[in-house]
Amino acid sequence: MLLKGKTAVVTGCNRGIGKAILEKFAEHGADIFACARKESEEFVENVNALSEKYSVEIIPIYFDMTDDEAMKAAVMSIRKSRRPIDILVNNAGIISESLLFQMTPIDNMRKVFEVNFFAQMRLTQYISRLMQKNGKGSIVFMSSIAALDGTPGQLEYIGSKAALIGAVRALSYEFGTFNIRVNAVAPGPTRTDMGNQISEALAQEAIARSALGRWGEPDEIADAVLFLASDLSGYVTGQVIRVDGGGYVGTRLRGGGEANLDFGCIRSLAKKIRRSIIETGYAAGRKGAHFGGALSAVEILACLYGGVMDIDPKQPDRENRDIFIMSKGHAVLALYTALAHVGYFPIGDLETFEQNDSELVVHPAMNVKRGIEFSGGSLGMGLSQAVGAALAYRRKKIGNRVFVLLGDGECQEGAVWEGIMSAAHFKLDNLIVIVDRNRLQCDGDTENVMALQNLPSKFCAFGFDTYEVDGHDVIALCDALSSARNKKDGRPKVVIANTIKGKGVSFMENQSEWHHGVLSRQQYELAVSELSEEVE
């Protein structure tokens, strides 16, 4: 038992996370001063049941956190017990109606700050004096991931919880000389009465960002508090522990801004995609595959699915997800392998590529559950689909983004330029066009077939914000794509990615004949050997 022989003061014990902390501490042998705002039959029954079940002493104390005189009286009763206080958990708190700043009365802000911050500071002043006499102690505050990540509305709640984080940082230094540790727990959406007051939209957004993709349970938050309260965290102070199902990790995986991108993971994803393109195309046998254009687009797909786009493979039909359209549909192997490696479907399904009854056909066929947003293959059509999607999402006031990948040879199609004009006309700043500029198409060099000349200048002349980067430089690509995604200026965006057709396989690089081809056994083994060292 982690708290055997220790005495704790815990506020907000009558329900939710506080109730879970009360039982967790009792289970681990602590005697507890269980603080609640008022007495209730249910609370008394729970205290008595836990005392009997775990053979510990739980003393209920009732006071309103905003009533300083009542708080002083409660602390006096704790002092009179002559018990050394080892742990203080400041769990009590309130949440307010979700209003935007301009609509929030200042009195509302004062009320929330009084409970969530000032009252907790007062109680900490009183209890820390008792801890100083012991020469040790642990203080745990209950903050929120909203204070770390920020959300629209509920300024007073988020501000008060952020103030606690500031207090943790400052008090850890001040109390460190007395061997008193000060930390905080920042829960994500949790199944409690207070958690249910968070707007459904905000809760779903937080859950969608998390790696585990679900609500937390009060008992799971209590586990983190137990760790901070116990001697297991004896060298931990001044810290805020996120208990949000991997919200930060999920953000890194599923978008949210360039600051959250993990370039090492994206490079690793690109290597896996490139290897899988070769293996999947070879398994197709005599049917062959479009290798060249798929290999040139690998880093583009890795950046998008590795962090730039706001997506969630566990919720492929989430309404506010970012959308990707593969207009150069013949490069579908880059899309299929990317989707498989980030979890939209099992990697083993790639073995069915181009097989009878497979959902993974030679050009993308719409299947949202598998992450395939639109059907494609007829060149020049994807941009028009993207324009329509971007316009629809804007009219529905959904703040996502639409990405569409074009081949440079595809840009010889007249329909592409109609789409470009439409995007500029409708001021679709939620649309990001990417051009895979590998300078080769089925019939040879693009400039010999139909010269595209200076593509960035052309897009700029049509009213696009234009970026031009090395399409195999992950950092440069992510920087351009993230900038394009986050910039809201009434102009559509285009990223011209200068790439190498057949990138990564020596005998395919800059060879138009590998636009589509069939790999021999010898060629397959050579390609795999060239890519194996990278993957490892």
Side-chain angles (χ1 to χ4, degrees), residues 383 387 404-413 415-425 431-437 452-468 491-497:
L383 181 54
V387 168
V404 57
L405 179 60
L406 306 177
D408 51 359
E410 183 180 8
C411 291
Q412 296 161 351
E413 298 274 357
V416 169
W417 297 97
E418 291 178 11
I420 291 169
M421 284 190 291
S422 297
H425 174 77
L431 172 68
I432 298 96
V433 177
I434 308 162
V435 178
D436 182 358
R437 186 71 165 113
L452 295 167
Q453 299 177 345
N454 192 331
L455 267 182
S457 294
K458 283 184 168 66
F459 274 95
C460 187
F462 274 81
F464 275 64
D465 286 336
T466 304
Y467 305 79
E468 186 174 16
R491 294 162 60 92
K493 316 295 186 290
V494 63
V495 176
I496 310 292

Side-chain angles (χ1 to χ4, degrees), residues 73-261:
V75 173
M76 184 59 68
S77 67
I78 293 172
R79 180 179 294 174
K80 287 179 178 179
S81 73
R82 300 188 179 280
R83 293 173 178 269
I85 303 301
D86 304 285
I87 302 160
L88 168 62
V89 179
N90 279 300
N91 172 71
I94 60 173
I95 192 169
S96 60
E97 182 182 0
S98 180
L99 297 173
L100 295 179
F101 174 68
Q102 296 287 2
M103 302 169 61
T104 304
I106 295 298
D107 286 344
N108 285 20
M109 297 184 190
R110 289 195 182 99
K111 178 181 178 181
V112 174
F113 266 83
E114 180 60 35
V115 176
N116 290 359
F117 182 72
F118 291 115
Q120 298 194 28
M121 292 302 104
R122 284 196 297 271
L123 184 61
T124 301
Q125 286 179 329
Y126 298 145
I127 298 298
S128 63
R129 291 173 186 142
L130 303 181
M131 288 182 173
Q132 289 174 26
K133 294 179 180 179
N134 302 334
K136 63 178 180 178
S138 175
I139 300 172
V140 183
F141 290 95
M142 192 63 62
S143 184
S144 168
I145 60 164
L148 294 170
D149 298 343
T151 57
Q154 296 178 327
L155 170 67
E156 61 275 26
Y157 175 76
I158 295 171
S160 64
K161 292 297 185 179
L164 291 177
I165 293 174
V168 164
R169 308 294 195 208
L171 293 178
S172 64
Y173 284 101
E174 187 170 333
F175 288 161
T177 58
F178 301 103
N179 198 29
I180 297 174
R181 298 178 293 105
V182 186
N183 297 285
V185 171
T190 306
R191 293 193 184 281
T192 64
D193 291 343
M194 181 179 288
N196 291 335
Q197 294 180 50
I198 299 173
S199 72
E200 182 65 20
L202 291 179
Q204 289 304 318
E205 182 178 346
I207 291 167
R209 286 200 309 262
S210 75
L212 296 182
R214 64 173 176 82
W215 285 75
E217 299 296 336
D219 188 62
E220 294 172 313
I221 312 303
D223 282 330
V225 176
L226 173 65
F227 166 72
L228 292 175
S230 75
D231 293 338
L232 291 177
S233 61
Y235 198 53
V236 179
T237 192
Q239 302 303 308
V240 180
I241 297 181
R242 299 178 67 113
V243 189
D244 61 348
Y248 179 63
V249 175
T251 301
R252 290 168 68 88
L253 291 174
R254 291 190 283 275
E258 58 187 299
N260 295 316
L261 298 173

Side-chain angles (χ1 to χ4, degrees), residues 9-80:
V9 176
V10 183
T11 66
C13 290
N14 59 330
R15 59 181 182 169
I17 293 172
K19 184 177 181 181
I21 293 170
L22 185 64
E23 178 159 8
K24 188 71 64 174
F25 279 24
E27 179 185 353
H28 283 268
D31 292 327
I32 307 163
F33 288 99
C35 305
R37 189 166 63 89
K38 59 183 180 180
E39 184 176 359
S40 70
E41 184 178 342
E42 181 182 355
F43 179 63
V44 172
E45 288 179 355
N46 184 52
V47 164
N48 292 337
L50 293 176
S51 296
E52 182 178 351
K53 180 178 181 181
Y54 297 111
S55 299
V56 296
E57 187 171 3
I58 302 178
I59 303 169
I61 296 182
Y62 306 104
F63 64 95
D64 189 322
M65 291 286 289
T66 62
D67 186 336
D68 191 34
E69 292 304 316
M71 182 185 291
K72 287 179 180 178
V75 173
M76 184 59 68
S77 67
I78 293 172
R79 180 179 294 174
K80 287 179 178 179

Side-chain angles (χ1 to χ4, degrees), residues 300 304-305 308-311 322-327 373-374 382-383 386 389-390 400-406 430-434 480-482 484-486 495:
I300 297 170
L304 291 174
Y305 285 93
V308 171
M309 291 199 301
D310 182 6
I311 55 172
D322 284 351
I323 300 295
F324 174 76
I325 298 172
M326 177 66 88
S327 188
E373 299 285 357
F374 285 85
L383 181 54
N400 60 346
R401 305 293 188 273
V402 178
F403 294 81
V404 57
L405 179 60
L406 306 177
N430 59 340
L431 172 68
I432 298 96
V433 177
I434 308 162
L481 291 167
S482 295
R485 185 188 186 281
N486 296 328
V495 176

